[in-house]
Amino acid sequence: MRRPLLLVLPAVLVLSVLAAWWIPRNDTKPLPPAPVEAAAPVAAPDPPTRVSETVQVQPRETLLTLLRRLQFDGRSAHALVSRLKEAGLNPRAIRARDPVELQRDASGAVVALSYAPSAWQRFEGRVVDGVWQAQRVDVQPEVRVEVREGRIERSLWDAVESGAVDAQTILDLVGIFESDFDFASDAQPGDRFRLLVESHYADGKFVEVGRILAARYEAEEERLIAVGFEVNGRLNFYGPEGESLKKTFLRSPLQFTRISSGFTHRRPHPVLGGVRPHLAIDYAAPTGTPVWAVADATVEFAGRKGGNGIQVLLRHRSGYKTYYNHLSRVARGIRPGVRVQQKAVIGYVGSTGLSTGPHLDYRVSVNGRFVNPLSEKFLPGDPVPAARRAEFVAHAQQLIAQLDATAEPPARAASVSAAHTGR
């Protein structure tokens, strides 16, 4: 009986050791189970309450018909038009292809509308408590001083066609130097110009070029510099030393075009034949091109004058007279005894009298003797007032420095380029 007892005893000991190993001690606390976090529910995106849309005004469409096309009922359409008119909108000013900004609610109904007749003004309408209201919003332009430049290949209009500058800026440039430089006869391929201008931006987008502040025009043998300076509330242009760029006489009596015949004492006459003096400058231009007085004057004659066709004759101070021949017609109000100012339109280019085609025959006489208008030295205008000379010099130095700050070497310049360099 002792042998079975001896066999059981080792098994009991093994089980005791295993129990001691697996059964936790009294001073050891079991770790609590890790908390299980509930997953946060994913929120569904809110449906948009407003949807933006842009539509264009169709040809021959009025504001009222536009609203009806947008599913406005008659009452709402008339109410909105009325509110917009009260805010200052002229419904007749709406043009085809103008954009109109809309906002629709969840049901698709238009609840807000915005129309901008220009970059500087827009009209807004919106539904408030079920009623249409409207207001005008004026946008203040952001003015940046920038550089524009170009080089002539065929004509000054190259800069416009390339986008370097707009047409009005070119006309302003011509107006600045027109007393010293005739762009019809003197401008040549390779000439360069550089302008310091005020550029206008709306909401960060370029809209238009404003005033020219300074200008430089470089021809083969001539370099012109102009600085804008306000005197008596008016922006005048002067040379770097304060001399006026506006002369008592303009170099050309019409917008720059081309000279078809120059001043000479021996020219084959295209109609009468033979060699005759041509004591005039002929400007080839389309019929109807406006012709202006080159200086303040009194009208001495306006009407038909034999081979000269329809003529306007102006009498100026210091013994000067100017003749404008072959006109298609005289401008309204131009008659003997009437006073006209420089650049006032006095007639229109034509081909009346002994003429082979539309052009202006322009002549200048001094005390009865005809002179070459392109070489005559006319009296200058008033310089910068002496009391403001020091102010002008500092102003001119600053603008010319800005004009030259980003100048490109001539050898690397493009044929026509535009620089948008903010200052």
Side-chain angles (χ1 to χ4, degrees):
M1 297 298 296
R2 289 184 179 178
R3 176 173 292 182
L5 181 62
L6 291 174
L7 292 173
V8 172
L9 183 59
V12 172
L13 291 174
V14 170
L15 291 174
S16 299
V17 171
L18 291 174
W21 176 263
W22 288 105
I23 297 173
R25 296 169 57 90
N26 293 334
D27 58 350
T28 302
K29 297 181 180 180
L31 295 174
V36 179
E37 296 182 0
V42 178
D46 294 332
T49 57
R50 297 287 179 90
V51 177
S52 297
E53 179 184 353
T54 301
V55 298
Q56 282 191 336
V57 179
Q58 299 300 315
R60 297 182 297 278
E61 193 169 46
T62 66
L63 178 58
L64 188 60
T65 57
L66 167 66
L67 296 179
R68 297 306 299 269
R69 177 164 64 88
L70 297 174
Q71 307 304 315
F72 275 64
D73 61 73
R75 184 175 181 180
S76 296
H78 282 89
L80 178 53
V81 170
S82 178
R83 299 291 86 77
L84 289 170
K85 288 173 65 177
E86 291 172 0
L89 175 64
N90 178 10
R92 297 178 181 273
I94 291 181
R95 302 174 299 271
R97 294 184 294 277
D98 279 353
V100 179
E101 306 292 334
L102 308 174
Q103 285 190 356
R104 298 181 183 271
D105 62 13
S107 69
V110 177
V111 293
L113 176 146
S114 176
Y115 171 70
S118 74
W120 315 117
Q121 189 180 81
R122 70 176 181 269
F123 292 87
E124 297 177 348
R126 65 183 62 254
V127 176
V128 179
D129 297 331
V131 178
W132 278 100
Q133 296 184 2
Q135 64 175 348
R136 186 183 74 183
V137 179
D138 294 320
V139 180
Q140 294 300 319
E142 175 193 355
V143 180
R144 304 179 190 177
V145 177
E146 299 180 337
V147 169
R148 298 287 191 275
E149 64 179 355
R151 186 173 69 189
I152 297 176
E153 289 296 339
R154 300 179 306 276
S155 73
L156 200 55
W157 287 111
D158 292 340
V160 177
E161 295 171 354
S162 72
V165 292
D166 61 283
Q168 186 58 54
T169 301
I170 285 293
L171 296 180
D172 292 344
L173 169 64
V174 171
I176 290 171
F177 293 120
E178 62 189 349
S179 293
D180 293 310
F181 193 84
D182 188 350
F183 286 88
S185 62
D186 299 339
Q188 299 294 327
D191 290 359
R192 299 168 54 83
F193 68 86
R194 191 171 177 83
L195 311 173
L196 192 67
V197 300
E198 291 180 336
S199 295
H200 297 163
Y201 287 76
D203 298 325
K205 297 181 180 179
F206 172 77
V207 177
E208 62 188 4
V209 173
R211 301 185 306 173
I212 296 176
L213 302 180
R216 184 177 65 239
Y217 190 91
E218 297 183 23
E220 183 177 358
E221 298 180 355
E222 197 165 8
R223 189 172 190 264
L224 306 172
I225 297 179
V227 176
F229 187 67
E230 287 194 6
V231 175
N232 298 325
R234 180 180 177 181
L235 186 68
N236 298 325
F237 286 91
Y238 302 90
E241 303 302 320
E243 69 277 16
S244 175
L245 295 184
K246 182 179 180 180
K247 304 298 188 293
T248 53
F249 279 69
L250 302 178
R251 287 288 296 275
S252 175
L254 72 172
Q255 208 68 274
F256 65 100
T257 173
R258 69 179 179 88
I259 290 178
S260 56
S261 184
F263 185 96
T264 178
H265 288 276
R266 293 181 58 81
R267 184 194 73 157
H269 197 281
V271 177
L272 301 177
V275 177
R276 298 167 180 265
H278 184 254
L279 307 181
I281 300 295
D282 284 352
Y283 290 94
T287 297
T289 300
V291 176
W292 54 54
V294 295
D296 296 348
T298 299
V299 179
E300 186 170 302
F301 178 82
R304 287 197 172 268
K305 193 76 170 181
N308 291 322
I310 297 177
Q311 179 195 77
V312 172
L313 169 58
L314 302 182
R315 183 175 66 252
H316 310 272
R317 65 186 181 93
S318 303
Y320 282 96
K321 290 185 180 182
T322 54
Y323 305 73
Y324 310 81
N325 299 325
H326 304 312
L327 301 174
S328 61
R329 62 187 176 94
V330 175
R332 180 177 298 179
I334 300 301
R335 57 185 181 275
V338 170
R339 292 283 300 169
V340 294
Q341 293 184 334
Q342 187 181 67
K343 225 167 185 180
V345 175
I346 57 172
Y348 300 88
V349 169
S351 187
T352 56
L354 296 177
S355 169
T356 58
H359 73 285
L360 173 69
D361 176 286
Y362 169 61
R363 302 172 184 243
V364 177
S365 69
V366 184
N367 297 321
R369 181 179 62 87
F370 285 101
V371 297
N372 187 344
L374 301 183
S375 60
E376 182 70 11
K377 299 299 183 182
F378 297 109
L379 296 175
D382 296 329
V384 172
R388 301 188 62 189
R389 183 61 60 88
E391 177 189 355
F392 169 80
V393 170
H395 175 76
Q397 290 175 347
Q398 177 185 0
L399 292 187
I400 292 175
Q402 287 183 262
L403 190 63
D404 294 338
T406 57
E408 186 179 11
R412 298 178 54 193
S415 59
V416 177
S417 61
H420 298 257
T421 307
R423 285 286 180 271

